[in-house]
Amino acid sequence: MSEITDTVPAGLRSWSTNWPEYEPVDVTPPELKPYTLALKGAPRWAEWYPEPDFVPNWDRRQADALVPFRLDGRGWPLHPHGRTGRTGRNLGKWGENAAADPIVVAGTGAERRVLLITRSDIEQEAIPGGMVDPGETAPAALVRELREETGVDLAGHTPVILGKDIVDDWRNSDHAWVASTSALYLLPATVTAVGADDALDANWYPFGSIAQLDAATAAAGRTLYTAHRPLLQRALDHLNR
């Protein structure tokens, strides 16, 4: 997946392309600004480091990354897909923020359904996933996030790992971004799901194609989260092989 932005022309996204006039917008929220971190410390979901210079373990972060990335001359991490038009940090960590996205599909043929939640931050229909906690593995995060957001416990199921990719998350910047492990869980039939934690709601939608999913979410007065479209299409491609 490649990140598309309106502010960065395709020919200037690469870090190897010289662009002296580049002026990305700082997307750092007040709670992560250096002065706030110094006065109040970091919120529970974020690390304290006010700038990448303070991070002591870039070698380890690069070795553990789902998607390889490099550091610039200052030692700052660079988004693997190039310039985003945004700088600063609106995520828990500088560099890669590992996430887990469990795609749960029930039934077959015309009865096939996919489980989506309504995200509380953007109020759009999305895969019930989230960030991998410190010290947690991606498989454990897949199960935990699904259980926390929908009440569905698939701890005894073995999913198909579909990919490990950069997600075009609305919070991404040049120096902090989301990379996700997406996994497909297959069930014979739908099970009860209830929105909880970061999810306002949880529902099963027809899943024969992205167009059908768009129509179903629109009929419910909702919108499908753009960043999850490639992950859902990959699941469809796998199912339709």
Side-chain angles (χ1 to χ4, degrees):
M1 290 176 288
S2 61
E3 181 159 314
I4 305 295
T5 68
D6 295 330
T7 57
V8 181
L12 294 174
R13 288 184 193 135
S14 173
W15 294 112
S16 62
T17 301
N18 188 37
W19 189 9
E21 299 82 14
Y22 180 51
E23 294 184 359
V25 175
D26 190 345
V27 296
T28 307
E31 62 266 31
L32 295 182
K33 292 286 188 181
Y35 62 84
T36 306
L37 292 172
L39 288 173
K40 299 183 179 180
R44 64 176 184 83
W45 51 270
E47 63 184 7
W48 168 82
Y49 310 120
E51 291 184 338
D53 311 70
F54 293 82
V55 176
N57 60 340
W58 281 120
D59 288 347
R60 171 49 54 192
R61 294 192 186 197
Q62 288 178 289
D64 291 343
L66 298 177
V67 179
F69 67 91
R70 64 185 180 89
L71 307 179
D72 66 13
R74 298 174 296 172
W76 286 36
L78 294 175
H79 191 298
H81 290 171
R83 298 181 176 97
T84 66
R86 301 179 291 275
T87 190
R89 172 171 65 111
N90 192 14
L91 288 162
K93 296 170 57 179
W94 291 102
E96 182 179 281
N97 289 257
D101 286 306
I103 302 171
V104 183
V105 175
T108 58
E111 300 304 313
R112 183 196 290 163
R113 298 290 186 270
V114 65
L115 179 59
L116 299 180
I117 62 163
T118 307
R119 285 178 53 150
S120 60
D121 56 351
I122 54 176
E123 297 189 7
Q124 294 181 3
E125 302 302 278
I127 298 165
M131 297 301 176
V132 178
D133 287 341
E136 185 179 39
T137 65
L142 287 163
V143 172
R144 175 183 56 77
E145 285 289 344
L146 181 64
R147 184 176 58 245
E148 289 178 353
E149 296 191 343
T150 70
V152 176
D153 191 344
L154 297 184
H157 293 68
T158 300
V160 176
I161 303 300
L162 297 175
K164 299 178 180 181
D165 309 277
I166 301 292
V167 177
D168 192 10
D169 192 278
W170 63 277
R171 296 163 295 184
N172 287 357
S173 74
D174 289 351
H175 308 296
W177 58 90
V178 178
S180 174
T181 298
S182 56
L184 175 63
Y185 289 86
L186 297 175
L187 301 179
T190 60
V191 296
T192 301
V194 179
D197 193 40
D198 294 332
L200 299 176
D201 199 2
N203 290 287
W204 293 94
Y205 289 97
F207 195 48
S209 67
I210 295 298
Q212 184 186 37
L213 187 56
D214 275 331
T217 53
R222 295 178 178 165
T223 304
L224 185 62
Y225 181 36
T226 299
H228 283 174
R229 288 173 178 270
L231 305 183
L232 291 164
Q233 184 60 59
R234 183 177 292 174
L236 282 168
D237 292 343
H238 178 87
L239 291 167
N240 294 332
R241 286 189 308 189

